[in-house]
């Protein structure tokens, strides 16, 4: 076998000789052979089935990096994202990630070492999130293992401090530039032909120059389509780049034949122009995506705040304004927004949101608390070790999947349409080319076939969903209605039942005359009460804290919140309880009147609060409007008397349930679902997290945006409550706009096809029209979603 014919089985580069081989496979260097041996020994040959010669060459690899510095305490602390016992989470930047094989290999690293527990690749960002057991493998060993596979992690500890932005891959722009340069010059060389000059010597000479210019267009600029098409075919998916690739190859083959046989100048001007305009269309699409992505960063999803302690006073501060060194007060059930040090003696933290492990972990003073942990028990102070990550919280929210499984997305329908559309177009192109072959010539038949393949490309179809739904999510976010992902947006139209929590959702608690009893308490008693009330995010607890704001909070030694009942705690050897009749039954001798919130200290009832509740503005109008489309229910842990106060606000046939504990709310949602209903649960996320998670759609109404519930699909700013019907109608309407975008795309393709099959469209004109299809869909998506927002009275 000649040396020139050998290419490395692992990376595809040419082999200098045939001396390095194994299993009748040749390798360019010992490094590539070693990587192959590692994968083969672990039964991971599938790596080469996904992408042929997908490996990273080890021949020109730089000297072996010494990663031992990663095991130092300083580097370790900077790199890790989460730690629970010996389980560590890290994030590494891997610039070499470029294809499906890379993703497959890196996400199967656990097969190479038992200490690696799992991995996920974020392809567009070229990042690897990895979980490992510190007892079984060190961080330096992981970095070395990945580097040996050809994916040396790009680690710069200074960058980690400065949160340096990752540079983008600019190869696409080089491809576009090469295509544009060559297309312009090929057209220039084709001018004598355009002008009808018949000097064959010049024609042949310019044809050869055009052929030289077309080669980089074919093998460099157009390989983005070939790779995509080949990858799709290997996975059994006939994607939209298959007909495009066939068109490009057919144009080049026909041109090559004509030039070599001197029967004509070929169609290289069409070929280069086709690739240039196709890449230009991709660039425009990517810019549109980037714009949507930029507007949907974590600040759009999480305009949340935290309670910061400054000069001894508490104040709410937006997460985006927090910085390293800030001291926060975290209450029971609240999420830690960024990595921090625990300043109190101890705390129990639930990391189920991060690791899936729901058993609370006990941390001592000075220990590190990781972002995403939920505090269980009495409130604590923490000192932030870093600012809130731009993406970490939003990743956690998206990663948190409901046990009910994935919802069926409309986007799947568009994907299927796009796939079947490709088969149909291939069939039409073949039939049209066959017809014109018998009617005219092979050359004309090829032009017709290629024009059909290009003009009917369903890229506009594929763009419809991300553009329409992406912009709709952005518009909703601007109006305080924050959605987890586009599947949630699609799912809203399928709902038919709506359950409301009462306190904190439909009503707000306001201090009335009975709160004056609190001021008759001694200074010491007030300090004890406010200390316990500070531990809860319940609206009534907040009102009590607010009423006794002048009293210094005592030091609380213990506290426990009983969902749906109240709080108990111990401070300075005093037992304190705030809650309903059931909670206080074991604390006091008196029988507390139903509906009254009692405050007891050391077994003595010191105050009883008959709170006044005010309904949210426009509640009646909101419920009446929602009642036209949904079956409404009220589930509350409050008394019958308080529940029925809202009766006049609900439309007829609405259902009321009172004295519901969190588990009973959850069961009610399950019962509705078993009856075939699609359920929206709306609460404040405090006592109804289980029901929110079980519901097909969970909406959390956030009062001051300091409460973030991972169980929710949507967060609604309470200031926007009166706009809720408009927001829902807008979400439902966006699905109709998506259908409109699909219809536009189909009409466009049908008209283009009608001209192409008649031979009235050249491949170059088809290439110009094809991006216009995408542009028209993008214009429709942006304009229609803006118009609908204006029509609904949204900003």
């Amino acid at each position: 076998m000649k040396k020139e014919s050998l290419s490395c089985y692992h990376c595809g580069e040419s082999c200098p000789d045939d001396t390095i081989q194994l299993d009748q496979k040749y390798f360019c260097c010992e490094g590539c052979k070693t990587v192959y041996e590692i994968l083969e020994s672990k039964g991971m040959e599938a790596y080469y089935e996904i992408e042929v010669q997908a490996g990273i060459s080890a021949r020109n690899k730089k000297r072996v990096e010494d990663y031992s510095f990663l095991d130092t305490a300083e580097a370790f602390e900077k790199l890790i994202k989460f730690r629970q016992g010996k389980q560590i989470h890290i994030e590494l930047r891997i610039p070499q990630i470029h294809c499906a094989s890379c993703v497959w290999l890196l996400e199967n690293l656990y097969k190479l070492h038992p200490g690696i527990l799992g991995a996920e690749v974020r392809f567009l960002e070229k990042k690897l999130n990895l979980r490992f057991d510190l007892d079984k493998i060190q961080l330096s060993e992981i970095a070395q293992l990945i580097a040996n596979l050809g994916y040396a992690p790009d680690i710069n500890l200074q960058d980690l401090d400065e949160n340096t932005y990752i540079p983008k891959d600019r190869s696409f722009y080089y491809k576009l530039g090469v295509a544009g340069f060559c297309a312009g010059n090929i057209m220039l060389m084709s001018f004598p032909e355009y002008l009808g000059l018949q000097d064959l010597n010049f024609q042949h000479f310019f044809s050869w120059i055009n052929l030289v210019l077309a080669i980089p267009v074919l093998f460099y600029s157009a390989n983005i389509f070939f790779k995509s098409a080949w990858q799709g075919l290997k996975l059994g998916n006939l994607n939209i780049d298959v007909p495009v690739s066939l068109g490009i190859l057919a144009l080049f083959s026909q041109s090559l034949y004509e030039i070599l046989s001197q029967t004509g100048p070929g169609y290289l001007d069409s070929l280069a122009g086709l690739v240039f305009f196709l890449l230009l269309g991709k660039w425009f699409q990517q810019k549109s995506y980037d714009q949507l992505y930029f507007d949907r960063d974590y600040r759009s999803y999480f305009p949340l705040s935290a309670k910061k302690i400054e000069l001894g006073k508490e104040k709410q501060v937006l997460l985006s304004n927090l910085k390293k060194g800030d001291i926060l007060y975290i209450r029971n059930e609240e999420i830690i927004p960024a990595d921090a040090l625990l300043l109190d003696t101890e705390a129990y933290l639930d990391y189920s949101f991060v690791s899936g492990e729901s058993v609370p972990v006990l941390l001592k003073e000075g220990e590190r608390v990781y972002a995403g942990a939920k505090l269980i028990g009495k409130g604590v102070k923490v000192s932030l070790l870093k600012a809130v990550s731009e993406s970490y919280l939003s990743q956690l929210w998206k990663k948190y999947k409901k046990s009910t499984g994935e919802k069926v997305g409309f986007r799947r329908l568009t994907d299927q349409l796009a796939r079947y559309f490709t088969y149909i177009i291939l069939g039409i192109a073949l039939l049209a080319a066959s017809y014109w072959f018998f009617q005219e010539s092979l050359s004309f038949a090829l032009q017709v076939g290629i024009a059909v393949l290009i003009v009917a490309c369903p890229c506009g179809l594929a763009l419809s969903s991300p553009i329409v739904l992406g912009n709709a999510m952005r518009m909703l976010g601007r109006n305080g209605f924050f959605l987890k992902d586009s599947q949630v947006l699609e799912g809203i139209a399928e709902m038919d039942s709506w359950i409301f929590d009462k306190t904190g959702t439909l009503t707000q608690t306001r201090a009335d005359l009975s709160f004056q009893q609190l001021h008759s308490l001694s200074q010491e008693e007030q300090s004890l009460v406010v200390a316990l009330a500070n531990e809860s995010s319940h609206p009534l607890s907040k009102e009590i804290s607010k009423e006794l704001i002048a009293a210094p909070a005592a030091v609380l030694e213990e506290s426990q919140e009983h969902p749906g009942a109240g709080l108990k705690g111990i401070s300075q050897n005093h037992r304190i309880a705030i809650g309903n009749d059931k909670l206080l039954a074991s604390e006091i001798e008196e029988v507390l009147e139903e509906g009254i919130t009692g405050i007891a200290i050391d077994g003595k009832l010191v105050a009883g609060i008959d709170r006044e509740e005010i309904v949210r503005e426009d509640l009646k109008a909101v419920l009446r409007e929602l009642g036209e489309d949904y079956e409404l229910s009220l589930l509350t842990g409050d008394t019958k008397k308080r529940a029925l106060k809202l009766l006049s606000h609900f439309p007829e046939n609405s259902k009321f349930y009172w004295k519901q504990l969190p588990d009973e709310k959850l069961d009610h949602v399950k019962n509705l679902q078993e009856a075939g209903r699609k359920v929206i649960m709306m609460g404040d996320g405090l006592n109804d997290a289980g029901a929110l998670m079980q519901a097909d759609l969970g909406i959390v109404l956030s009062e001051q945006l300091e409460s973030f519930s991972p169980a929710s699909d949507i967060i609604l700013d309470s200031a926007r409550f009166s706009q809720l019907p408009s927001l829902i109608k807008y979400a439902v309407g966006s699905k109709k706009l998506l259908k409109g975008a699909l219809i536009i795309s189909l009409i466009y393709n049908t008209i283009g096809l009608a001209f192409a099959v008649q031979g009235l469209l050249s491949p170059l004109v088809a290439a110009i029209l094809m991006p216009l299809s995408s542009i028209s869909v993008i214009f429709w998506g942006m304009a229609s979603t803006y118009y609908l927002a204006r029509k609904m009275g949204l900003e």
Side-chain angles (χ1 to χ4, degrees), residues 679-711:
V679 184
I680 297 176
M681 175 72 204
M682 187 170 184
D684 59 6
L686 298 177
N687 296 326
D688 40 32
L692 281 169
M693 191 164 65
Q694 177 63 37
D696 298 284
L697 202 67
I699 303 177
V700 165
L701 190 72
S702 190
E703 192 65 53
Q704 294 182 329
L705 294 175
E706 80 274 27
S707 300
F708 166 50
S709 172

Side-chain angles (χ1 to χ4, degrees), residues 198-225:
Q198 299 298 322
D199 190 325
L200 292 178
N201 289 329
F202 273 109
Q203 188 184 75
H204 292 155
F205 176 69
F206 286 140
S207 295
W208 279 101
I209 294 178
N210 287 345
L211 185 61
V212 171
L213 288 169
I215 287 175
V217 175
L218 180 73
F219 290 100
Y220 180 64
S221 298
N223 69 0
I224 190 172
F225 304 106

Side-chain angles (χ1 to χ4, degrees), residues 612-674:
E612 179 189 0
E613 290 184 323
I614 54 173
V615 299
R616 291 196 182 276
E617 187 178 357
D618 298 325
L619 176 62
K620 189 169 185 176
V622 168
L623 294 177
R624 295 282 168 180
E625 202 165 345
L626 291 177
E628 295 174 3
D629 300 311
Y630 302 93
E631 180 185 278
L632 304 187
S633 302
L634 177 72
L635 283 183
T636 176
D638 223 329
T639 63
K640 179 180 179 181
K641 178 183 173 184
R642 290 188 180 280
L644 294 181
K645 281 185 177 178
L646 296 181
L647 187 61
S648 62
H649 294 274
F650 276 79
E652 292 182 5
N653 301 322
S654 299
K655 298 175 181 175
F656 281 61
Y657 303 88
W658 46 86
K659 288 193 172 182
Q660 295 284 302
L661 295 174
D663 287 345
E664 293 171 318
K665 293 180 180 178
L666 173 62
D667 290 340
H668 188 85
V669 174
K670 286 181 179 176
N671 292 337
L672 279 178
Q673 290 173 328
E674 287 172 1

Side-chain angles (χ1 to χ4, degrees), residues 17-27 30 33:
D17 52 48
D18 58 1
T19 57
I20 306 175
Q21 60 173 297
L22 182 67
D23 299 338
Q24 297 184 327
K25 298 175 178 64
Y26 296 94
F27 300 91
E30 287 292 340
K33 179 186 169 189

Side-chain angles (χ1 to χ4, degrees), residues 341-486:
L341 284 181
L342 180 64
L343 299 181
D344 281 81
T345 309
E346 62 180 28
Y348 281 95
L349 293 153
D350 175 359
Y351 279 116
S352 59
F353 193 24
V354 183
S355 66
E357 178 56 61
S358 59
V359 177
V361 178
L362 176 63
L363 294 185
K364 299 291 184 181
E365 182 179 359
E367 288 194 86
R368 183 170 182 160
V369 185
Y370 293 97
K374 183 169 70 175
L375 179 67
I376 304 295
K378 83 182 192 69
V380 294
K381 294 176 186 173
V382 297
S383 175
L384 294 185
L385 292 172
K386 57 175 72 172
V388 178
S389 166
E390 285 82 351
S391 58
Y392 189 58
L393 283 180
S394 58
Q395 287 172 32
L396 290 178
W397 193 27
K398 289 180 179 180
K399 193 172 73 172
Y400 196 83
K401 297 292 184 186
K402 294 188 173 186
S403 58
T404 49
E406 298 280 346
K407 301 177 179 70
V408 176
F410 193 74
R411 187 163 43 187
R412 292 185 187 176
L413 177 61
T414 62
D415 292 343
Q416 289 175 355
L417 275 176
R419 186 166 67 247
Y420 292 128
F421 201 81
T422 305
Y423 284 106
I424 294 170
I425 294 309
L426 283 173
I428 293 174
L430 185 62
L431 289 174
S434 300
Y435 174 81
W436 287 109
F437 173 72
F438 293 108
Q439 294 294 323
E440 289 287 337
S441 64
L442 173 63
S443 172
F444 189 75
L446 277 175
Q447 286 193 59
V448 172
I450 293 166
V452 169
L453 291 174
I454 301 302
V455 78
C457 176
C459 51
L461 198 66
L463 265 179
S464 304
S465 180
I467 292 296
V468 174
L469 299 184
N471 202 45
M473 286 176 63
R474 182 171 63 162
M475 298 301 295
L476 290 168
R478 284 183 182 178
N479 288 274
F481 198 66
F482 306 101
L483 282 74
K484 179 181 286 188
D485 54 40
S486 62

